[in-house]
Amino acid sequence: MEPLFTSSKKLGFGLMRLPLTDPDDAASIDLEKTCQMVDTFLEKGFTYFDTAWMYCGFESENAARKALVERHPRDSYTLTTKLHAGFLNTKEDRDRIFNEQLRKTGVDYFDYYLLHDMGKDHFEKYTDLDCFAWIADKKEKGLVKHIGFSFHDTADVLDEVLSAHPEMEFVQLQLNYLDWNSPAIQSKECLEVAKKHGKPVIVMEPVKGGTLAKLPEKAEQAMKQYAPNASIPSWAIRFAASQEGVAMVLSGMSNQTQLEDNISYMEEFVPLCEKEEQLVFQAADAINESIAVPCTGCSYCTDGCPMHINIPKYFSLYNADLQEAAEKGWTPQGEYYDRLSQKFGKASDCIACGQCESVCPQHLPIIEYLKDVANHFESR
Ligand code: SF4
Ligand code: SF4
């Protein structure tokens, strides 16, 4: 039996926020920059790559083939991808998507394969469509080495899924210091459940979609005073990697600078000490005082929106504006909003169809938040 995680290094390359040639087009992956990042990552001894069917406007798996699979020996990396319930209507869809994923990535097996975005609703759908037996069969046939699922729901649901399916070998959890004690995300409780079931954890969203890359000023000052050369995101990645039971931490790296920063402290990883842990929880308190919409920017919600509303970008502008406006009075976010809403639907164009809320892994009340965004930016 092969060991589940062969890499001694705990940093994984999330291929979800790759560099783009057009910042408003998620599918416009900058291949040259992606190749450079992939090469540096491998040169430094990291091996774990994570993609999914719909990442980067369905182009991430193609980019994995071009930047990784066609340019590096198969035994020099491990590749993960996922099957998402949102794209499944019939049992036939499972193989159709899986075969297409093999074609897009160019591999003849996946090292890790996940049922994507498990939660109460998707658990029912994956069960109805017999996806657990289906994925186990892929493993049996050698098309997948290890099977698991990514998870966005409460700890009791995780317990239910793992109790029903002990054959699942690992879980991917949203875990970061802001969500650690969050009643909605329950990072800490979910990790405890995974440990109880003896399942190693892959962490996603350690920097919470960039939220933990830029902190309220007093939190950044405290961190800089303690460790002047440590980047702000390094605290978040190290927090996740420090937790017992965590085998891998994914970082959705968007440029070479981010990648090199991540590598600088994950090459020879040192867990957070007690004082450092105190500082990250103080930062979490400071953020909780100021953040309006806890959106991670995953963009799952945008493809199906009939009004083409750029939901995550509007939320990001809204959050930034609320934080800055209090201090500065005027900010540029309103202008960004006006420009973006010439290209995409405005927040007030929302027809409340609910499509976005049905796929949001953070279970955000998007329709209500869009009303706040519209009030904030469209009545200036
Ligand atoms: S509820 Fe509004 S924002 Fe969401 S998909 Fe429908 S129109 Fe788009
Ligand atoms: S609103 Fe939800 S689905 Fe959309 S980007 Fe934010 S977290 Fe993702």
Side-chain angles (χ1 to χ4, degrees):
M1 178 98 177
E2 291 174 44
L4 194 49
F5 292 98
T6 47
S7 175
S8 59
K9 295 196 162 61
K10 278 192 178 183
L11 176 68
F13 193 153
L15 303 170
M16 177 194 199
R17 297 185 176 94
L18 290 171
L20 303 175
T21 53
D22 173 356
D24 292 330
D25 177 3
S28 68
I29 295 169
D30 187 323
L31 193 60
E32 197 182 326
K33 287 186 181 154
T34 303
C35 286
Q36 189 194 354
M37 291 166 72
V38 164
D39 293 355
T40 307
F41 193 71
L42 288 169
E43 273 160 25
K44 293 290 184 179
F46 296 87
T47 54
Y48 190 95
F49 292 84
D50 171 270
T51 182
W53 177 241
M54 74 286 212
Y55 285 176
C56 303
F58 300 89
E59 280 302 314
S60 173
E61 290 174 328
N62 282 324
R65 183 187 74 253
K66 291 177 196 162
L68 176 67
V69 177
E70 289 178 350
R71 300 173 59 252
H72 294 279
R74 184 65 182 94
D75 60 358
S76 66
Y77 61 85
T78 57
L79 184 62
T80 301
T81 196
K82 318 180 186 83
L83 181 77
H84 195 290
F87 302 96
L88 294 178
N89 294 312
T90 64
K91 287 186 178 175
E92 287 67 40
D93 288 335
R94 302 167 308 181
D95 271 340
R96 179 182 59 75
I97 291 175
F98 186 84
N99 291 333
E100 182 64 2
Q101 289 177 307
L102 288 175
R103 190 197 64 74
K104 282 169 83 180
T105 55
V107 294
D108 47 21
Y109 67 91
F110 295 112
D111 300 273
Y112 306 92
Y113 197 80
L114 291 86
L115 298 177
H116 199 166
D117 191 13
M118 189 74 70
K120 190 81 184 158
D121 49 349
H122 288 166
F123 181 35
E124 280 168 21
K125 190 165 187 185
Y126 286 130
T127 304
D128 288 348
L129 292 173
D130 206 17
C131 291
F132 289 94
W134 173 85
I135 194 176
D137 181 59
K138 294 288 179 239
K139 183 180 165 190
E140 186 69 30
K141 291 185 169 126
L143 293 165
V144 167
K145 300 280 182 206
H146 298 290
I147 56 177
F149 59 90
S150 64
F151 184 80
H152 291 280
D153 210 328
T154 48
D156 57 334
V157 177
L158 180 61
D159 197 29
E160 189 185 337
V161 180
L162 285 174
S163 300
H165 291 285
E167 75 279 14
M168 293 285 111
E169 295 169 277
F170 62 95
V171 291
Q172 185 162 309
L173 296 178
Q174 175 164 327
L175 189 155
N176 57 65
Y177 66 77
L178 189 59
D179 293 326
W180 188 244
N181 292 313
S182 146
I185 311 289
Q186 303 186 348
S187 287
K188 185 179 180 200
E189 288 101 317
C190 286
L191 177 62
E192 289 306 321
V193 169
K195 278 160 54 182
K196 184 182 88 175
H197 286 269
K199 306 298 176 190
V201 167
I202 300 178
V203 169
M204 58 185 156
E205 301 290 4
V207 191
K208 201 167 167 69
T211 302
L212 305 182
K214 176 145 186 19
L215 306 178
E217 209 171 315
K218 67 176 177 186
E220 288 207 2
Q221 268 176 4
M223 287 175 170
K224 285 288 169 199
Q225 198 175 3
Y226 182 86
N229 296 325
S231 69
I232 298 302
S234 73
W235 291 81
I237 305 244
R238 285 181 58 226
F239 173 81
S242 297
Q243 305 309 320
E244 188 196 331
V246 168
M248 189 64 62
V249 178
L250 301 178
S251 175
M253 297 175 256
S254 303
N255 58 52
Q256 185 76 12
T257 309
Q258 281 174 9
L259 177 108
E260 285 176 9
D261 181 52
N262 283 352
I263 284 173
S264 70
Y265 52 84
M266 291 305 286
E267 217 177 347
E268 302 295 337
F269 169 65
V270 180
L272 293 185
C273 68
E274 209 173 309
K275 169 69 186 163
E276 289 172 322
E277 199 155 280
Q278 256 176 21
L279 283 170
V280 299
F281 286 126
Q282 281 168 13
D285 290 342
I287 297 165
N288 281 328
E289 284 165 19
S290 61
I291 199 165
V293 182
C295 164
T296 62
C298 68
S299 293
Y300 292 3
C301 53
T302 50
D303 279 331
C305 173
M307 305 310 287
H308 306 293
I309 299 171
N310 199 322
I311 301 163
K313 286 213 168 145
Y314 291 169
F315 287 164
S316 158
L317 289 173
Y318 182 60
N319 281 337
D321 211 45
L322 290 189
Q323 281 196 15
E324 273 190 52
E327 292 162 22
K328 296 183 185 164
W330 179 89
T331 75
Q333 272 84 229
E335 289 183 28
Y336 280 103
Y337 181 83
D338 292 342
R339 285 187 193 128
L340 267 177
S341 58
Q342 284 167 18
K343 195 167 171 179
F344 300 97
K346 297 197 293 292
S348 60
D349 290 339
C350 173
I351 54 170
C353 68
Q355 162 65 26
C356 54
E357 292 188 1
S358 72
V359 295
C360 175
Q362 309 302 320
H363 307 294
L364 299 182
I366 296 174
I367 298 167
E368 281 308 306
Y369 281 142
L370 283 175
K371 288 181 192 161
D372 297 339
V373 172
N375 282 336
H376 184 77
F377 284 122
E378 295 177 27
S379 58
R380 284 171 300 135

